[in-house]
Amino acid sequence: MNKNVERLYNGLIKENPTFVLMLGMCPTLAVTSSAINGLGMGLSTTVVLVFSNLLISAFRKVIPNGVRMPAFIVIVASLVTMVQFIMNAYTPSLSESLGVYIPLIVVNCIILGRAESYASKNPVIPSIFDGIGMGLGFTFGLTCIGLIRELLGAGQIFGFQILSLEWFTPITIFVMAPGAFLVLACLVAIMNIVRAKMEAKGKPLAAPSGCLSGDCSGCAQSAMCTGRSLSKEGAASAKATAAKNAANAPKTE
Amino acid sequence: MKELLLIAIGSAIVNNVVLSQFLGICPFLGVSKKTETAAGMGAAVVFVITISSFVTALIYKFILANEALMSKGIDLTYLQTIVFILVIAALVQFVEMFLKKNMPPLYESLGVYLPLITTNCAVLGVALTNVTKEYGILESVVNGFATAVGFLIAIVIMAGIREKIEYNDIPKPFRGTAIVLVTACLMSIAFMGFSGMI
């Protein structure tokens, strides 16, 4: 398979950031109260992701290894600011309903994760396709969750009344905060079943690598998030480091 | 005074940062297995968010939205996202070094959690909310502190519930993260009860 097509397939299906890798959960929960919000958030993240992958891959030999994280953050933050202003200008209602979550694309772990694990090691063209694949995968995930929540919570799809209010009482809680947690919980449970089935078939899915998995060993951001997980052995090693630091402290003084 | 109190109650309980704004979900799910670690994480978040909202409010007022510059037609407020994220990342490192050197007992209890917070979206979220709501410096600090206290409340309750869940017989697909999310959903419904308060 062509490498670029492979990247698209990888992002959309094999390592779908929402369903398989479970990355970027903050926006997934926050902006999926309707399908259009999910779509808007997904597309703006895609734009940032494609351009950040492009720039980081182009500059990968110039950026010194020691300061690569701050450099990536500056690149991503500049792109996010541009996207924010473009959305303010051309889609004011969408930008109002997404609010603070647009600037928060900066701390979305998909973007820095792809920068760290793919774009900083690969040539420009595959990096762009990686960004497109991952971005569209994320958009697809957000739109699906948005569709489910909007349909159950308001009987609408993209703002059109699908289920007649004459016989359907909207379950309003689905478009409010608790509904986000509930839909995501069901999604994680379904993915657990799918995962077990695929494993039985001998075709295991990629392990979830985001914060949802509860252990940061597979997280692409662990380079920046030096605290690692405090769960499992993380707690023990964290305590050991703290003890070591405490023991070292008098010496350094 | 009354306004500050309203801001504090509003951000700590009514619009809880985790349960209704979905910021800081990662530590909320990742570090809530034991009440002890959850309380440590919560305390570290309170510490960092309070300091960072003070510093970012200062930077916004005196550098980015500086009146002298504004009157000359130089508007730097568009730099807020870039400046805030870098300032927060540097600040957390600095706080860590300062605590290590000058307050070893505090560092021992908070130190391990500090690096985890750098990438926490709640910190940047609070700084940006302070700007959007046009809070002054005092209001920003109060809002930051209260938001972080809301996080502390949520993560400690969650850890308490999770310690009990460990012993329950949960359907297999729901084991692990899924049941934690269902718990978060129920907590979120409970916190919605506060929404009439303000």
Side-chain angles (χ1 to χ4, degrees):
Chain A
M1 211 186 321
N2 183 322
K3 201 177 178 194
N4 298 336
V5 181
E6 188 268 331
R7 278 289 100 196
L8 286 179
Y9 172 76
N10 183 58
L12 268 169
I13 305 197
K14 208 171 126 214
E15 289 188 4
N16 186 295
T18 312
F19 297 126
V20 182
L21 297 183
M22 306 261 168
L23 288 171
M25 282 303 141
C26 292
T28 307
L29 287 164
V31 302
T32 50
S33 55
S34 68
I36 192 77
N37 281 359
L39 187 66
M41 184 69 192
L43 288 180
S44 39
T45 311
T46 308
V47 172
V48 175
L49 189 55
V50 170
F51 284 99
S52 77
N53 267 6
L54 164 75
L55 287 174
I56 287 166
S57 170
F59 290 126
R60 70 185 186 283
K61 286 179 184 144
V62 188
I63 299 172
N65 202 30
V67 293
R68 70 181 191 289
M69 269 301 159
F72 294 171
I73 292 179
V74 172
I75 292 176
V76 176
S78 322
L79 290 167
V80 168
T81 309
M82 288 180 216
V83 167
Q84 188 185 357
F85 282 127
I86 293 171
M87 286 179 79
N88 263 340
Y90 294 104
T91 54
S93 63
L94 183 65
S95 118
E96 199 165 299
S97 60
L98 294 180
V100 76
Y101 297 101
I102 301 175
L104 284 179
I105 296 176
V106 181
V107 282
N108 188 326
C109 39
I110 298 175
I111 293 179
L112 283 175
R114 288 328 285 174
E116 173 75 9
S117 67
Y118 196 86
S120 61
K121 292 172 193 140
N122 287 285
V124 175
I125 303 291
S127 297
I128 295 177
F129 278 94
D130 182 72
I132 298 175
M134 279 284 160
L136 291 184
F138 186 59
T139 312
F140 174 67
L142 287 193
T143 315
C144 283
I145 297 175
L147 281 175
I148 296 171
R149 286 182 65 189
E150 201 182 348
L151 188 66
L152 290 173
Q156 299 174 337
I157 283 180
F158 285 106
F160 297 107
Q161 201 70 39
I162 298 290
L163 303 174
S164 164
L165 291 178
E166 281 163 22
W167 51 269
F168 175 75
T169 315
I171 317 166
T172 323
I173 203 133
F174 273 100
V175 289
M176 294 157 97
F181 285 114
L182 194 60
V183 171
L184 191 66
C186 296
L187 179 71
V188 172
I190 293 169
M191 281 318 289
N192 280 344
I193 298 174
V194 173
R195 216 172 276 282
K197 286 242 165 84
M198 292 299 272
E199 214 148 295
K201 268 192 200 166
K203 285 188 272 180
L205 291 177
S209 64
C211 311
L212 271 197
S213 58
D215 91 292
C216 307
S217 56
C219 177
Q221 264 186 302
S222 53
M224 184 164 71
C225 175
T226 47
R228 285 189 305 280
S229 172
L230 295 170
S231 54
K232 292 181 200 162
E233 78 278 77
S237 71
K239 264 199 186 141
T241 1
K244 215 200 272 169
N245 285 337
N248 284 343
K251 264 185 231 161
T252 47
E253 279 177 19
Chain B
M1 197 59 216
K2 196 182 148 203
E3 267 175 31
L4 289 183
L5 197 65
L6 282 181
I7 291 176
I9 294 174
S11 353
I13 299 174
V14 182
N15 293 315
N16 188 284
V17 64
V18 185
L19 298 171
S20 80
Q21 299 191 50
F22 308 108
L23 298 176
I25 295 281
C26 295
F28 180 67
L29 299 175
V31 202
S32 59
K33 278 202 173 151
K34 284 194 184 125
T35 326
E36 242 175 70
T37 37
M41 182 72 193
V45 168
V46 172
F47 194 76
V48 169
I49 292 191
T50 312
I51 296 179
S52 78
S53 37
F54 176 63
V55 174
T56 49
L58 278 183
I59 289 177
Y60 187 78
K61 180 138 195 264
F62 293 110
I63 300 177
L64 296 182
N66 190 320
E67 273 169 33
L69 284 177
M70 286 287 223
S71 61
K72 281 183 199 158
I74 305 171
D75 185 357
L76 294 176
T77 49
Y78 70 93
L79 287 172
Q80 61 186 29
T81 314
I82 305 173
V83 171
F84 286 177
I85 183 82
L86 288 177
V87 165
I88 289 166
L91 187 76
V92 175
Q93 304 271 326
F94 182 74
V95 166
E96 196 189 354
M97 282 193 273
F98 179 80
L99 287 185
K100 202 173 179 178
K101 182 85 181 151
N102 294 321
M103 301 175 189
L106 191 60
Y107 178 74
E108 228 171 285
S109 50
L110 300 186
V112 285
Y113 307 102
L114 287 176
L116 276 176
I117 303 171
T118 323
T119 48
N120 185 337
C121 43
V123 187
L124 183 63
V126 171
L128 291 168
T129 314
N130 287 339
V131 171
T132 340
K133 291 200 174 163
E134 295 177 353
Y135 286 156
I137 290 170
L138 182 61
E139 288 158 320
S140 298
V141 175
V142 170
N143 183 39
F145 178 74
T147 308
V149 168
F151 179 82
L152 174 69
I153 295 172
I155 198 171
V156 169
I157 296 178
M158 174 55 110
I161 299 174
R162 270 182 92 168
E163 283 180 356
K164 303 273 185 241
I165 288 180
E166 289 280 303
Y167 305 107
N168 292 1
D169 185 22
I170 301 159
K172 211 175 168 206
F174 274 90
R175 275 178 209 170
T177 313
I179 192 69
V180 179
L181 287 166
V182 173
T183 315
C185 165
L186 296 176
M187 281 172 68
S188 173
I189 293 176
F191 269 74
M192 272 172 67
F194 291 112
S195 60
M197 265 174 76
I198 293 187

